[in-house]
Amino acid sequence: MMLKYTILITFVFLGLTLGAIGTYRTGYYFGLLNPDNSFKMTLGWFPLDAKGAKLHSSFRSTAENNDKIVFHYKEHIIEQHAVQEIVDKELGLRFTIIFIGKPNTDDFMVQVKSESTKNHDYGIILHINDENVRLSTAKTGQPSSFTVESSTYSSLNMKAKYKGVENFIPALYKKRKPNLGRVQFACYDSDNDYDLHGSLKKLTMENAKKRIRPIYRQKIRNGEFWDEVDNYPMNLLSNTCGKDKSQVFLQFLIDGDAEITVSTSEMASIDIDELKSSNSIAYKHKVDTIVKNWPIKLQPFVSQTIADVLGSVGYASGDYIVQKQGVDHRVQNARLFYSCPSRSFFPRGFVWDEAFHLLIICRVDMKSCEAILRSWFAIMDNDGWIPREVILGDEARSRVPEKFIPQIHEYSNPPAFSLVFDFLSSINSIKTQSIINDLLPLFKKHLQFFEDTHKVRGGYQWQGRNDDHTLTSGLDDYPRGNISVSERHVDLLSWMKYSWDVVGRLSGLPTPSFSQSVFQEHWNADIGLYSDSEAAHVGYVGLFPFLFEHIQCSDTPTLRTVYTHLNSTRSLFGPGGIRSLSKEDMLYGTGENYWRGATWMNINYLVKRSLDRYAECNDAVSADFHALSKRLKGTIVRNVLKEYKRTGWLWENYDGTTGRARGCRPFNGWTALFMLM
C-alpha cells in the first residue's frame, strides 16, 4: 500500500547572511540546515515490530560507521539540488530523497520515498527545529487538522495527504498497537537539537507513563519499566503541542511504501519531478569536466562519487577549544563551511584533508570552492595558526574522543592549501585571480607561522609528536624514530619549499630560498631514498622531495632510484597502489598499522602527478615513468572498483598486502582523488 503525505510549511527565515538552506548536517543520513543555524530538519526511522530496548538501538538518524546502511548521493548541486539513495539492509528499507532549493532564497522542497522489501511495519521521523521562531499550537475547529503557529512571525501550516484526502490525521493509542497510515507528533523545548534519539525516547517514555496501568508506575520510578512493559515502543507520542516550543517531532507510521513531501509555501505548487529533471541536466553539465575523461561504463560511478563529495559539504557554527601553553581557551562564535572526509566517522572539517577535497570541488563548483577556502582562512587566528580539525559546538564534540577536542595552538597540519592555490593559478579567469589576490597574503601569514614555530637549524621539525605518532604531519604512526631536539623532517621541508615556491610565483614577492644541498642532507644512501634525520625508512616520507618535484629534472640517477622503489612489488607497489611503507621494512604492518603499509589515495595522487611531470621533462626516464603512471592508475582504479562492488563504499585506505578496504566508510574525501588520475 502506498501512503502519501504532504507537509506545507509557511515560514519566515530571519537573519540569513551566508548562503541558503542545504544538506549541511553531514553527520546525519539526511539533514537540512541554513547557515545562520535558525532552521534544521532531520530524517530518522525505526522498525515498529521491535520491542523495548531493541527498538531504541534500532533508531537511525546519525550516520554511523557500523550500521548496515548504504547511502550515496546520485546527484548534488550545493543548495540547489540533491538526489540521495539510502538502503537499510537490516530493516529492508530503501529511501530515495530529493532536495530542491530555490537559488538565493530560503525556500526548499524535500520528497522522501520509502520502499519496504521485508514487509516490516516502520516509522519515519521528521524532526524540525527553529531557533528564531517559537512554536505553539492553535485549534482550527477541524479535529483532523494540525497547525503550528509562530508566537511572533508567520504560521507553520502542516497538512497531510492520506488515501488521496488532504487531512492531517493524528494516530491514536489503541491497545499498544500503532495506527498505521497515521501521524503522531509532539512539540518540546530543549537546548539539545542533535540527540534526536535521546529526545524521542524521553518524550515517548513520558507519554507511556501516562497511559500504562498504575501498577507499573512504581516500577518506572525504579528503572524497571522496559523489563516489565517492553511493548511500549517509540511510536507513542502525545499528539500535543504546548505553547512556546522550539522543536517538533512528526512521526509517520507505515506498512508498505510511502511518500512524504515537505515544502515551503513558495514552492508548494511546483512540480518536483519537472524541476528534478532540469536540475539533473544541470548537474550532468557541471560534472562533465571530470566525468567525460572516463569510459562510458564507469561514468555513472564517477558521477556518483562527485555527488558524494559535494554531499559531504557541511556548515558548522559554535565554539571550539584551543589550548595555549597548556591552558584551555574557548573561542566563541566561530563558523566553518567545510567538506568532511567521512559523514559517518569524521563529519567535520580537517584542514589538510580539505586541501585535497578542494582539488575536486574546485573543478566542478568554483563558488563552493571559494566559500570553503575563504571560510578556512576566516578561522585562522592573528598568529597565522589554523586548527588541525575544527570541532564546533556540542553536537560536534559529542562525536569526538575527549582527548582530541582541544586544538593545541603550537601544532599544525601541513600547509596543504598550497595545492589549491597551485591549481587555481592554472585556471585563467578573473574569478580565480580574485581568490588568489584576496587569500594568498593570508596563506603567506600561515606559512610564516610555520617559520616561527617549526623552523630549526638546518630544516624543519614537526611539533607535538611522540615516539609513536606524529599526528601533525598527517601521517600519524609512520615510523620516525625516537624524539630528538635536533631532528629534521624531510616531508615538512618539502611542504615548506613547495608552498613558498607557489607564493613566490603567484605574488612576485621575495620568499625564503631553499638550496639543493638542504635536500641532499636528507638523502640516505643506505636505503636509496630521502629520510628524516633520525630515522631511515622506505615509504611516503622519503618520497616527498619527489612528490613536490624538488629533485632536479636532470638528476636522472636519483629519479631512477625513486622509480625502483615505486615500481617494485617487494617495496612500495602494492595491489591497491603505492604503499605507505615498504613491504621489506621491519615495521611494515606493525603497531597501530595506520600509515605503516596501507595505501592512501592522497599520496598516490601526488605520486602519479609527479610521474607524469617528470616524464615530460626527462627523456631518459620518460618511457618508464609513463608506463609506471599508467600501471599505477590501472591498479588503483581496479582495486577501488573491486572493493566498491564488494562493499558498496569508498574506503579510508586499502591494505598494502591484499588491497582490501580498511578504515572507515564512506570515505568520500581524498579517496575520491582516483577520479583525477
Side-chain angles (χ1 to χ4, degrees):
M1 178 173 61
M2 168 69 78
L3 309 181
K4 288 192 175 184
Y5 304 88
T6 300
I7 303 175
L8 176 64
I9 299 179
T10 305
F11 199 79
V12 172
F13 295 89
L14 301 178
L16 283 179
T17 57
L18 293 174
I21 196 165
T23 59
Y24 290 143
R25 299 198 87 183
T26 54
Y28 296 83
Y29 289 115
F30 182 79
L32 298 180
L33 169 70
N34 61 9
D36 72 349
N37 245 0
S38 66
F39 180 85
K40 299 175 183 177
M41 188 176 78
T42 310
L43 174 73
W45 66 93
F46 58 90
L48 282 174
D49 56 352
K51 295 183 178 181
K54 178 186 174 185
L55 181 141
H56 286 281
S57 67
S58 300
F59 179 70
R60 284 92 152 98
S61 181
T62 55
E64 300 292 342
N65 191 51
N66 296 319
D67 279 352
K68 295 179 181 179
I69 298 173
V70 177
F71 53 104
H72 290 287
Y73 279 104
K74 299 298 183 179
E75 301 168 357
H76 202 292
I77 302 175
I78 292 172
E79 294 186 352
Q80 181 180 337
H81 173 74
V83 179
Q84 183 178 213
E85 290 186 0
I86 303 172
V87 178
D88 187 330
K89 297 180 180 179
E90 183 178 358
L91 300 186
L93 296 175
R94 176 186 293 272
F95 296 94
T96 300
I97 304 170
I98 301 171
F99 162 77
I100 305 289
K102 189 175 181 180
N104 304 314
T105 75
D106 304 315
D107 292 306
F108 71 92
M109 176 182 289
V110 171
Q111 183 184 80
V112 179
K113 290 184 178 180
S114 62
E115 302 173 50
S116 175
T117 60
K118 291 186 177 180
N119 296 318
H120 286 174
D121 299 338
Y122 59 100
I124 293 179
I125 288 285
L126 285 180
H127 176 263
I128 296 174
N129 168 255
D130 168 48
E131 295 180 0
N132 281 344
V133 180
R134 313 299 282 177
L135 305 181
S136 64
T137 58
K139 294 183 178 180
T140 64
Q142 299 296 324
S144 62
S145 66
F146 176 68
T147 303
V148 179
E149 287 189 350
S150 161
S151 59
T152 306
Y153 308 109
S154 62
S155 62
L156 187 70
N157 300 315
M158 299 186 182
K159 297 180 180 179
K161 183 179 290 186
Y162 174 63
K163 294 185 177 180
V165 180
E166 289 191 357
N167 278 330
F168 191 103
I169 306 176
L172 301 176
Y173 169 78
K174 183 179 180 182
K175 297 181 179 179
R176 301 182 182 175
K177 299 291 185 180
N179 284 2
L180 299 175
R182 298 295 189 268
V183 184
Q184 293 179 325
F185 58 90
C187 300
Y188 66 104
D189 224 7
S190 174
D191 292 332
N192 183 329
D193 61 6
Y194 57 88
D195 183 13
L196 305 189
H197 182 195
S199 297
L200 189 60
K201 184 175 181 179
K202 181 180 178 181
L203 289 171
T204 55
M205 286 284 285
E206 289 175 350
N207 190 44
K209 289 177 187 179
K210 300 174 183 177
R211 298 182 183 280
I212 63 174
R213 290 179 295 170
I215 191 173
Y216 290 122
R217 289 178 183 168
Q218 183 59 45
K219 293 181 179 294
I220 293 172
R221 287 191 285 270
N222 294 338
E224 303 170 12
F225 176 71
W226 291 115
D227 293 334
E228 295 290 336
V229 188
D230 64 359
N231 203 29
Y232 283 86
M234 285 191 298
N235 59 51
L236 291 177
L237 290 179
S238 62
N239 291 342
T240 61
C241 213
K243 293 183 178 180
D244 298 328
K245 306 300 181 184
S246 62
Q247 302 186 50
V248 59
F249 277 115
L250 297 170
Q251 188 166 256
F252 302 84
L253 308 177
I254 299 163
D255 59 340
D257 301 341
E259 180 181 303
I260 302 168
T261 303
V262 181
S263 67
T264 55
S265 57
E266 288 293 320
M267 299 188 70
S269 61
I270 292 176
D271 185 328
I272 191 170
D273 292 327
E274 183 177 324
L275 199 53
K276 175 186 177 296
S277 179
S278 62
N279 282 347
S280 295
I281 294 172
Y283 173 74
K284 290 176 182 178
H285 177 74
K286 183 179 282 284
V287 302
D288 189 56
T289 183
I290 294 176
V291 173
K292 68 182 180 182
N293 299 318
W294 288 86
I296 292 176
K297 66 178 182 179
L298 293 181
Q299 288 183 1
F301 174 57
V302 173
S303 177
Q304 173 186 284
T305 300
I306 298 172
D308 275 332
V309 172
L310 296 174
S312 299
V313 171
Y315 179 84
S317 61
D319 61 344
Y320 67 98
I321 299 171
V322 177
Q323 189 177 104
K324 286 188 177 183
Q325 299 178 342
V327 179
D328 287 354
H329 302 270
R330 197 173 290 271
V331 179
Q332 303 284 354
N333 302 319
R335 51 180 60 190
L336 184 71
F337 197 35
Y338 65 89
S339 58
C340 70
S342 172
R343 289 171 57 197
S344 66
F345 205 74
F346 299 115
R348 55 192 180 276
F350 291 77
V351 66
W352 94 296
D353 294 65
E354 192 72 87
F356 290 98
H357 303 169
L358 288 177
L359 294 178
I360 298 170
I361 295 172
C362 293
R363 283 172 162 84
V364 297
D365 187 347
M366 186 58 70
K367 178 182 177 182
S368 297
C369 166
E370 178 184 6
I372 292 170
L373 194 58
R374 288 185 183 276
S375 186
W376 276 99
F377 282 107
I379 213 167
M380 184 175 75
D381 75 0
N382 291 332
D383 296 324
W385 173 77
I386 300 176
R388 293 177 50 242
E389 55 180 296
V390 180
I391 308 166
L392 293 177
D394 292 337
E395 180 175 341
R397 283 190 285 271
S398 71
R399 301 190 69 167
V400 181
E402 188 173 352
K403 67 179 180 178
F404 294 124
I405 290 176
Q407 296 298 293
I408 300 176
H409 187 267
E410 292 78 15
Y411 304 166
S412 191
N413 269 154
F417 286 131
S418 49
L419 292 165
V420 183
F421 286 109
D422 198 1
F423 170 73
L424 291 176
S425 69
S426 69
I427 303 174
N428 185 20
S429 74
I430 295 175
K431 169 55 69 177
T432 55
Q433 191 57 52
S434 173
I435 297 171
I436 292 170
N437 291 344
D438 288 351
L439 299 182
L440 197 65
L442 297 177
F443 183 59
K444 183 178 179 182
K445 184 176 184 178
H446 182 50
L447 293 182
Q448 190 59 50
F449 169 83
F450 281 91
E451 296 290 337
D452 296 339
T453 58
H454 291 63
K455 185 81 176 283
V456 296
R457 184 180 179 86
Y460 294 86
Q461 182 184 103
W462 292 113
Q463 302 300 299
R465 84 177 198 88
N466 56 40
D467 289 342
D468 298 319
H469 290 86
T470 311
L471 299 179
T472 47
S473 73
L475 308 182
D476 293 19
D477 66 332
Y478 187 94
R480 304 270 185 174
N482 294 329
I483 296 175
S484 166
V485 294
S486 62
E487 65 184 337
R488 290 166 287 115
H489 298 127
V490 69
D491 52 335
L492 181 52
L493 169 67
S494 301
W495 275 113
M496 293 304 294
K497 174 172 168 46
Y498 171 68
S499 298
W500 278 122
D501 285 349
V502 170
V503 169
R505 175 168 56 83
L506 298 183
S507 69
L509 299 174
T511 58
S513 60
F514 296 78
S515 67
Q516 199 64 27
S517 62
V518 72
F519 286 97
Q520 284 305 118
E521 291 174 8
H522 281 278
W523 180 258
N524 191 306
D526 292 337
I527 63 172
L529 198 62
Y530 298 93
S531 71
D532 292 336
S533 61
E534 305 296 325
H537 298 275
V538 174
Y540 283 173
V541 165
L543 292 175
F544 268 84
F546 171 75
L547 301 181
F548 290 128
E549 300 165 65
H550 300 325
I551 303 171
Q552 292 183 346
C553 209
S554 59
D555 188 355
T556 301
T558 301
L559 292 174
R560 281 285 180 198
T561 304
V562 172
Y563 169 83
T564 299
H565 288 298
L566 292 174
N567 194 50
S568 171
T569 55
R570 294 194 305 272
S571 183
L572 293 179
F573 200 102
I578 302 301
R579 303 180 179 106
S580 48
L581 192 65
S582 170
K583 198 174 180 181
E584 298 176 314
D585 194 290
M586 62 183 298
L587 295 180
Y588 177 83
T590 62
E592 185 181 320
N593 191 22
Y594 200 39
W595 292 79
R596 294 192 175 189
T599 299
W600 294 79
M601 207 59 63
N602 59 333
I603 304 300
N604 274 262
Y605 166 79
L606 295 176
V607 168
K608 186 181 183 302
R609 187 182 76 158
S610 290
L611 285 170
D612 292 339
R613 291 180 177 181
Y614 277 117
E616 295 301 317
C617 72
N618 185 316
D619 291 339
V621 301
S622 181
D624 286 339
F625 275 38
H626 273 308
L628 180 55
S629 173
K630 182 178 180 180
R631 176 188 174 206
L632 178 60
K633 176 180 178 178
T635 298
I636 288 171
V637 173
R638 282 192 297 273
N639 192 68
V640 167
L641 278 171
K642 174 175 69 71
E643 292 302 285
Y644 172 78
K645 291 176 181 178
R646 184 176 70 85
T647 67
W649 300 109
L650 295 186
W651 289 74
E652 187 177 8
N653 58 71
Y654 297 86
D655 189 89
T657 301
T658 66
R660 286 179 72 88
R662 300 185 352 145
C664 64
R665 85 305 180 269
F667 203 85
N668 300 314
W670 60 40
T671 299
L673 285 169
F674 80 87
M675 298 184 298
L676 305 186
M677 295 185 183

